[in-house]
Amino acid sequence: MTWVARLLLGTLLVAAVVLGGTMFRVWQTARVDGDRAVDAVVVLGAAQYDGEPSPILAARLKHAAALYEQGLAPRIVTVGGSRAGDEYTEAEASTRYLVRQGVPAGAITTVAEGSDTLGSLKAVAAQAERDGWESALVVSDPWHSLRARTMARDSGLEAWTSPTRSGPVVQTRETQARYILRETAALLYYRLTHASAETGDTGLG
């Protein structure tokens, strides 16, 4: 075997190990609830329609409300900006929904910024610094948990994740496999570039 062939083989083996290891960690983190007492529950945004959360966002909000009711945090932070033509931001739609679910308005902090996960978490970290809190449970879809936690910690938050266990993203094995693959690629992209990968309107960007 020539040195070129050995180099190529070695590169492929390293790539396979990195890819497989990252995929396993995405899957593993998705299965773990990091529930604990924190300063805030942070709900990552997703699509909303005229102030009504999409099914993906509604599943996250229901989970966040349950964590608040358990007494794990004194506040819920909603986050997410808007698209051109939207009357409401994702954060505003989320806040309205939580109030209808019985969460006191005074216990909700609305951070109407961010068009992707990284931008949203940086905005939350800035709000946390202004308000004087540090620790958070980040609520998103299971397969998004590892990348969300990584970005939250890189943004300066002491963060754990509490994945949703319901909603469109976790309905079928085919959907789960697709999201695991997509999140694996997005996490590797983030580690290489420290930027978000565009992943559509699910709030996983």
Side-chain angles (χ1 to χ4, degrees), residues 184-201:
T184 297
L187 179 57
L188 290 172
Y189 179 83
Y190 171 71
R191 285 175 171 165
L192 287 171
T193 66
H194 294 285
S196 276
E198 178 55 52
T199 58
D201 63 354

Side-chain angles (χ1 to χ4, degrees), residues 113-127:
E113 301 178 47
S115 60
D116 55 35
T117 303
L118 184 59
S120 293
L121 288 170
K122 285 182 175 180
V124 170
Q127 185 70 47

Side-chain angles (χ1 to χ4, degrees), residues 19 23 25 29 47 51 53 60 81 86 113 116 126 133 149 153 162 164 168 185 191-193 205:
L19 181 63
M23 189 178 298
R25 290 198 63 213
T29 304
R60 298 178 188 178
D86 285 350
E113 301 178 47
D116 55 35
W133 57 270
R149 186 183 71 188
R153 291 178 177 177
S162 186
T164 59
R191 285 175 171 165
L192 287 171
T193 66

Side-chain angles (χ1 to χ4, degrees), residues 95-113:
T95 295
R96 284 160 47 93
Y97 183 90
L98 287 171
V99 169
R100 293 201 302 269
Q101 294 291 310
V103 179
I108 306 172
T109 300
T110 306
V111 181
E113 301 178 47

